[in-house]
Amino acid sequence: MNRRIPMVACLIATVLSSPVALAQEAAIYSGADRIHPVWARQAMVSVQERVAAQIGLDILAKGGNAVDASVAIALAMAVTLPRAGNLGGGGFMMVHEAKTGETKAIDYREMAPASATRDMYLDANGDADSKLSRFHGLAVGVPGTVAGMQVALDTYGSMSLADVIQPAVKLAEEGIVVTADLADSLKGLESRLKAWPSSAAIFYKDDGSFYEPGDILKQPDLAATLKRIAEQGPDGFYKGDTAEKISASVQKAGGGMSVEDLANYKVEIREPVTGDYRGYEIVSMPPPSSGGTHIVQILNTLEGYPLGFLGHNSAETIHLMAESMKRAYADRSEYLGDPDFVDVPVAELTSKAYAADTRKEISLNMTTPSASIAPADLVPYESNETTHFSVVDKDGNAVSNTYTINFSYGSGMVADGTGVLMNNEMDDFSAKPGVPNGYGLIGGDANAVEAGKRPLSSMSPTMVLKDGDVYLVTGSPGGSRIITTTLQVILNVVDHGMNIAEATVAPRIHHQWLPDVLRVEEGISQDTIALLEAKGHDVDLKDVMGSTQSIQVDKENGFLFGFSDTRQAGAATLGY
């Protein structure tokens, strides 16, 4: 079994002391029999940003539940991880209540403004203009994060928004210590952010120079916005001064978002997509996410093969994974969209019968060219800089949350006077059927632009249940690769018997139908690549994929095991 660890040679085991707990960090070392995850007895958070992780753990230690901690984490990351954490974006939250055994999906995805039209991103020649859908006022969807956090607290939380937002207010007002990761990202995105004076004034020094590691970055306008939300609830964002400033900034940039669009934003609580995989229950996000549907679809297809026997990341296993992925992404291009606007055949796509038919199309020896794969005839008829976190509390309640402003720092535009970075989520619509978006994903009429509609997403906050109890909480950023990244964590645990640390660091692969390329991380052996190429795969070694934040529950022995992906710096899994 190949257990080469991408980007990690050795980390030294440490024990972090906090006012609330001892949180044991992972000891990762090459050449050992096992790679050890973080462990705890009662509660755990796994977050892409360390300061926000500690805030979430503190909330849990004070008696807050998983949802209270999750909202505090999300709001804190709007300050500490501005490239992905947000107030000006949206996302999905899966919530499992231990007492009732129910799991629900909170959809706080952005919505298209009332002024949006099907052809709004086409130029005079009828071609899609990516600048309009990515770096323009027209790129901004109506944000859902603030409303989503309030609905989560109202429905499942035990603390008030005013309480859980206070750490974020303090961070914005007093400043955060600039990390090497933040400094590097601001340098790398200089041209995007400095295109907007309102953004340049916040993220660069007065003379235009860069913030360096160890500097203090204060965000007073964002602090004022957070205070209004603390005092007025979501009305402090969707109405009044903040809403007027957001609308004015978007319209000045050429968009059409109005104060009425902000006031009319609504959150939906939906039923999750569910499936069964080798005796485990898979519970994931339904449309307008494509993630849950296609994770279950691919798992159903793979269930017919003895992956554990074939071996982790063997040529045979990777081949079967890639062929299953291709067919799911082909279906995504045709059928997935906002269920409030189109009929999405989730039951058909996730049925065992459909998976059995799919397996009949897959050759064990040769790849099927993507050009010959079409979406099935069914009746009835995303960014690297997203971020994910997972939380489990002492009572067994769990949250899996993925949210985003799409590209790194979204559109790059801060709404003047608010400190709020605005998303460019409208690029996730199909600007023109058959034309790829920023992640190379093809879309059709089901995901066409329409007023009030939510763009299709790949975000896949997911839970795996065992005998009705939470067994695994996971998810990832990564645009189009979110689905396959989350899928492989599940396969690594269920089929290959890995602990959550091993499941996280193992090399990943990805195929999304078009382009017809099998993407692999470093760590897949050259012999395996040669065997895949002999089967007809066009293998491309690319940068690392995803940044999973996962928690595994060992209920029988009373342990929580967690791990933050080593592929991106600054993440932390903490517990007590």
Side-chain angles (χ1 to χ4, degrees), residues 383-468:
S383 121
N384 292 328
E385 297 306 344
T386 301
T387 188
H388 176 86
F389 57 83
S390 299
V391 180
V392 176
D393 67 25
K394 60 181 175 59
D395 296 316
N397 303 304
V399 167
S400 180
N401 187 91
T402 313
Y403 74 152
T404 187
I405 47 176
N406 203 23
F407 290 5
S408 187
Y409 298 94
S411 63
M413 178 183 70
V414 168
D416 198 21
T418 70
V420 177
L421 272 160
M422 304 308 299
N423 68 81
N424 57 354
E425 241 18 287
M426 296 291 285
D427 186 62
D428 277 355
F429 281 116
S430 300
K432 184 178 182 179
V435 175
N437 71 358
Y439 299 104
L441 287 169
I442 304 295
D445 289 339
N447 191 38
V449 183
E450 193 170 346
K453 193 176 184 180
R454 301 174 201 262
L456 184 61
S457 172
S458 295
M459 292 185 289
S460 309
T462 299
M463 299 185 193
V464 178
L465 306 184
K466 184 178 181 180
D467 300 325

Side-chain angles (χ1 to χ4, degrees), residues 353-366:
Y354 182 49
D357 289 340
T358 300
R359 286 193 293 272
K360 294 175 184 176
E361 302 173 358
I362 296 175
S363 166
L364 298 180
N365 300 314
M366 292 298 295

Side-chain angles (χ1 to χ4, degrees), residues 89-93 106-110 144-145 401-404 459:
F92 303 126
M93 180 184 288
I106 301 177
D107 174 2
Y108 61 97
R109 179 75 160 149
E110 300 89 339
T145 294
N401 187 91
T402 313
Y403 74 152
T404 187
M459 292 185 289

